[in-house]
Amino acid sequence: MNPLVQVAVPSPLYGLFDYRWQHGTPALPGTRVVVPFGRRQLIGVVVGTVSETQVPANKLRAVHRLLDDEPVLPPDIMQLLQWASRYYHHPLGEVLATALPVLLRKGHDARLIEREYFRWVSAESVDGISDPEPQRKIPATAVVQRQLAAHLQNMDGQPVSADLLRAISPRWRSSLKPLIDRGWVRCETAIDVPDNRAVAHGPTLLDEQQVAVTAVQGALGSFLSFLLRGVTGSGKTEVYLQCIKAAHARGLQTLVMVPEISLTPQLMTRFEQRLDGCLVTLHSALNDTERLQNWLCAALGHADVVIGTRSSILAPMPRLGLIIVDEEHDGSLKQQDGFRYHARDMALMRARNIQCPVLLGTATPSFESLNNIQSGRFVELPLTQRAGGAVPPSMGLMDIRRRKLVEGMSDRLIDAIGKHLDDAGQVLVFINRRGFAPTLLCNDCGAAADCRRCDAHMTVHAKLNRLRCHHCGSERAIPTGCETCRSVELDYVGYGTERIAQALQSAFPDTQIARIDRDSTRRKGALEEQLARATSGQARILVGTQMLAKGHHFPQLTLVCILDADRGLFGTDFRSLE
């Protein structure tokens, strides 16, 4: 009888499914297979083999196709995901599918893209004597061919990518072929793995920073949990960098998790200035091909540092020796739909399984972490001094009762913003609501525009003339009348980033404003573009949600305005007051 395998398929059904194995190679856990499931064919993951099954022989179906020679999910990741399936009570098939990039779920090959490179070898005359000026043999009319030959010769034998040759001429390939045929140019292929070289050195560490770095260095190769508790501006990122360098010196990979996608470009730029090796990012703003290539760089051990959001904790890393979780208290580290998990807790479990240290960084630890410090599970590494002589900001509460409001902003706030702009300062206005207004309300019957797919209110996006549900993604056009009573007395209730930015533009028409939220940064490269405007000071007023309020360095910023600050204190979340 053929051996039997247990396969986890991406379905909401708990349990594994038995199939006959009819392939000559062994069934390795973690490999992808195509299996019949009902009337469909699904891509599942082999979990293990069994010697017997309760499925009747006439109903036992066979695995159709094996997609991988080697497991795409190695044993340590399989162990972590099986634990997560039990701990978070979620079907294993969906958990395993979540851990795979989209293209692997669709059956694409798990291999890195090979790119073409071209190298000038030599140019010999017909009689075999080396010719120092091979261009003489290229017809004068072959202008592009001459340009390609000159460019490749000037590179002194270094490989040149197809992208650089394409910049010379879009017809570069047909023009290059005669040079390849004559043996003057050699075409080579190589895996496209980024290789970074540091260009800057870091500052001298403060005493507290050095203590933290020494503690983490001493724990490499064993499991220990550290809480780097540092006030804002105390140099936590510098501690991260020094710890990563120590891990890299031992040939280990480092995973750095951040709570927001918006933090990855800034952090990547800083890391590229300071670290050698292969650095990649993993987050949902990458397209499917980029995400697969970066995931494979990590999984095959090419990536020395992986910077990612919560899903990066599921990426295989064979040399993983250090996990860093920045802003460990942040709620964005929790996956809230589909397979629900907490990436910080997954990081702790993964580190324990493979015996590597975890460094949790924060200025405001979560209650769980504080409790773990008191119980001795975590080692606290305090950073009480600000780096570079920075001083804490002055904070004040602006009472808006009985004051005239302009789109939720008082006259005192508008005056304060104007004063800082006149003094060549930069102003950040924070409101954790995107869109124009959170509710569309009928003034006659009191009905609100609700989502037809879930129980949330639809958010008004006035510029697009759309209502959007920020929970399930459903959207529709803004109605001209109430959908309940047909009244045209509709009102936009509440304030979002779009409405605030519009009001500030009216108040300061000659000032550039950058609005940074999930809606304004959907287009590829838009986030980097907006952050560059903010960092350079080109945008004098910044309006945004929590994407803008975490971890960014804006050197010209002189005023931060938090609108409707007390709303967060009285939310339905039990952590509101925390």
Side-chain angles (χ1 to χ4, degrees):
M1 183 177 177
N2 291 323
L4 303 175
V5 294
Q6 290 189 311
V7 178
V9 298
S11 77
L13 300 175
Y14 288 84
L16 304 174
F17 299 89
D18 298 342
Y19 289 90
R20 290 198 311 273
W21 185 259
Q22 297 177 331
H23 302 272
T25 56
L28 299 176
T31 52
R32 294 172 302 148
V33 290
V34 178
V35 295
F37 193 78
R39 297 182 179 180
R40 300 176 293 162
Q41 288 194 6
L42 299 180
I43 295 176
V45 176
V46 175
V47 176
T49 59
V50 291
S51 57
E52 57 184 24
T53 178
Q54 296 181 350
V55 181
N58 62 334
K59 293 187 177 181
L60 190 63
R61 306 169 83 177
V63 172
H64 282 178
R65 189 153 50 97
L66 174 64
L67 297 179
D68 306 306
D69 296 328
E70 298 292 332
V72 292
L73 296 176
D76 64 306
I77 293 294
M78 290 293 290
Q79 178 187 4
L80 177 71
L81 296 175
Q82 286 174 301
W83 169 84
S85 172
R86 296 190 301 270
Y87 185 78
Y88 293 107
H89 300 281
H90 200 85
L92 180 59
E94 291 190 346
V95 173
L96 297 179
T98 302
L100 294 173
V102 171
L103 292 181
L104 291 189
R105 294 180 221 162
K106 294 180 178 179
H108 284 242
D109 290 339
R111 63 179 180 182
L112 286 168
I113 293 175
E114 290 189 348
R115 297 195 184 277
E116 288 182 318
Y117 293 90
F118 300 89
R119 187 194 308 271
W120 185 267
V121 183
S122 65
E124 296 183 349
S125 60
V126 177
D127 55 6
I129 301 173
S130 179
D131 187 348
E133 298 183 23
Q135 281 92 337
R136 290 182 305 178
K137 295 183 174 61
I138 301 175
T141 55
V143 178
V144 174
Q145 197 174 126
R146 284 174 168 268
Q147 291 175 335
L148 293 171
H151 182 76
L152 289 166
Q153 273 193 297
N154 291 336
M155 295 303 293
D156 294 326
Q158 295 298 314
V160 179
S161 69
D163 292 336
L164 293 178
L165 298 182
R166 189 178 295 109
I168 295 175
S169 171
R171 297 182 289 110
W172 67 274
R173 192 174 289 277
S174 59
S175 299
L176 191 67
K177 187 177 185 301
L179 302 180
I180 296 175
D181 293 341
R182 300 183 75 165
W184 296 353
V185 175
R186 181 182 300 157
C187 177
E188 303 169 345
T189 58
I191 294 173
D192 186 26
V193 175
D195 187 18
N196 187 65
R197 288 290 174 262
V199 296
H201 297 284
T204 302
L205 295 179
L206 302 176
D207 291 342
E208 289 180 328
Q209 289 176 314
Q210 187 60 60
V211 169
V213 171
T214 302
V216 177
Q217 287 177 344
L220 292 174
S222 61
F223 172 59
L224 201 57
S225 303
F226 297 98
L227 181 72
L228 185 66
R229 185 178 184 180
V231 297
T232 303
S234 58
K236 292 189 289 294
T237 304
E238 188 60 38
V239 173
Y240 299 159
L241 285 165
Q242 295 297 334
C243 294
I244 293 170
K245 285 184 177 180
H248 182 57
R250 296 194 188 187
L252 301 174
Q253 294 174 292
T254 301
L255 171 62
V256 183
M257 278 201 300
V258 294
E260 289 287 343
I261 294 175
S262 61
L263 295 178
T264 52
Q266 173 183 284
L267 201 60
M268 189 67 170
T269 300
R270 187 167 178 183
F271 279 25
E272 286 175 339
Q273 293 173 346
R274 297 284 304 282
L275 299 174
D276 292 329
C278 177
L279 285 65
V280 300
T281 57
L282 281 176
H283 51 75
S284 59
L286 301 173
N287 64 42
D288 289 346
T289 301
E290 291 171 334
R291 189 175 179 90
L292 175 59
Q293 293 304 300
N294 289 358
W295 189 90
L296 288 172
C297 274
L300 297 175
H302 298 302
D304 298 299
V305 180
V306 176
I307 304 172
T309 48
R310 58 179 176 256
S311 61
S312 62
I313 191 59
L314 308 177
M317 297 177 68
R319 299 184 288 114
L320 183 58
L322 174 63
I323 300 177
I324 297 173
V325 183
D326 193 28
E327 307 292 348
E328 65 87 22
H329 64 277
D330 200 291
S332 298
L333 291 170
K334 290 183 179 181
Q335 174 68 28
Q336 300 286 6
D337 52 16
F339 166 42
R340 293 172 170 83
Y341 62 92
H342 199 312
R344 179 199 61 202
D345 298 344
M346 293 274 282
L348 292 167
M349 180 57 65
R350 182 172 183 179
R352 193 189 74 169
N353 290 345
I354 64 173
Q355 290 296 294
C356 82
V358 179
L359 181 59
L360 310 177
T362 180
T364 53
S366 63
F367 285 165
E368 299 96 321
S369 296
L370 290 174
N371 182 64
N372 283 326
I373 289 174
Q374 292 181 357
S375 62
R377 295 189 185 93
F378 288 1
V379 177
E380 183 177 14
L381 302 173
L383 298 179
T384 58
Q385 297 178 333
R386 288 178 173 246
V391 296
S394 59
M395 299 172 63
L397 185 65
M398 188 174 289
D399 192 344
I400 61 173
R401 289 176 295 183
R402 296 181 296 278
R403 301 199 72 89
K404 181 181 178 181
L405 299 181
V406 178
E407 300 291 26
M409 297 177 288
S410 69
D411 51 350
R412 287 179 58 198
L413 179 61
I414 298 294
D415 292 342
I417 292 174
K419 181 177 183 302
H420 280 263
L421 293 177
D422 293 340
D423 294 338
Q426 189 181 45
V427 178
L428 187 155
V429 180
F430 170 75
I431 178 167
N432 206 22
R433 291 272 190 175
R434 56 191 175 103
F436 188 84
T439 307
L440 177 66
L441 193 69
C442 174
N443 284 331
D444 282 346
C445 71
D450 291 331
C451 178
R452 295 166 182 167
R453 288 170 47 183
C454 64
D455 58 356
H457 290 321
M458 301 287 277
T459 299
V460 178
H461 290 258
K463 187 175 180 180
L464 301 174
N465 192 37
R466 306 291 287 176
L467 294 175
R468 278 183 178 166
C469 176
H470 290 172
H471 293 270
C472 69
S474 174
E475 63 176 80
R476 62 181 186 268
I478 297 177
T480 55
C482 175
E483 295 171 326
T484 301
C485 70
R486 301 302 176 188
S487 169
V488 295
E489 296 297 322
L490 300 178
D491 193 14
Y492 300 150
V493 179
Y495 309 97
T497 51
E498 184 183 339
R499 190 171 193 173
I500 295 300
Q502 181 178 302
L504 288 171
Q505 194 67 79
S506 298
F508 305 100
D510 299 326
T511 302
Q512 286 200 37
I513 296 177
R515 177 169 66 91
I516 300 179
D517 54 32
R518 196 181 304 174
D519 300 311
S520 66
T521 56
R522 289 179 186 271
R523 178 176 53 84
K524 185 176 179 62
L527 175 59
E528 291 81 358
E529 179 184 328
Q530 293 281 55
L531 289 176
R533 291 180 61 213
T535 305
S536 66
Q538 179 184 359
R540 303 283 306 286
I541 299 179
L542 314 177
V543 180
T545 58
Q546 59 182 351
M547 288 181 68
L548 192 61
K550 298 175 183 176
H552 296 291
H553 177 57
F554 302 129
Q556 301 182 44
L557 190 66
T558 57
L559 175 67
V560 176
C561 314
I562 303 175
L563 301 184
D564 200 8
D566 53 355
R567 185 203 310 132
L569 300 177
F570 305 103
T572 56
D573 192 328
F574 73 97
R575 294 180 184 273
S576 292
L577 289 173
E578 179 186 342

